[in-house]
Amino acid sequence: MHYFCHYISEVLEPVVLPYLQGLPTTIFQQDNARPHMARIVLRFFVNRQIELLPWPARSPDLSPIENMWSMVVQ
């Protein structure tokens, strides 16, 4: 849980939260990495009424650059 608290205190609170609060409507996207899916982290978003984009397990990467690497290799 110590790592998850650092994720909240060093990333979400000082960087993500102020950014999202400056936008009129937002849906935050993060993957299913363990730090992102910990109950304490999900509770952080619920308590601040920040909507998360649903990300199904084993879903393909939505980052366009990640899909380009296979083209570069060819």
Side-chain angles (χ1 to χ4, degrees), residues 4 7-8 12 30 35-36 38-45:
F4 305 131
Y7 175 57
I8 291 171
L12 295 178
Q30 57 182 8
H36 301 163
R39 276 182 251 155
I40 190 170
V41 172
L42 296 177
R43 200 172 316 127
F44 171 88
F45 289 107

Side-chain angles (χ1 to χ4, degrees), residues 1 36 45 59 61 70:
M1 182 152 124
H36 301 163
F45 289 107
S59 67
D61 193 343
S70 62

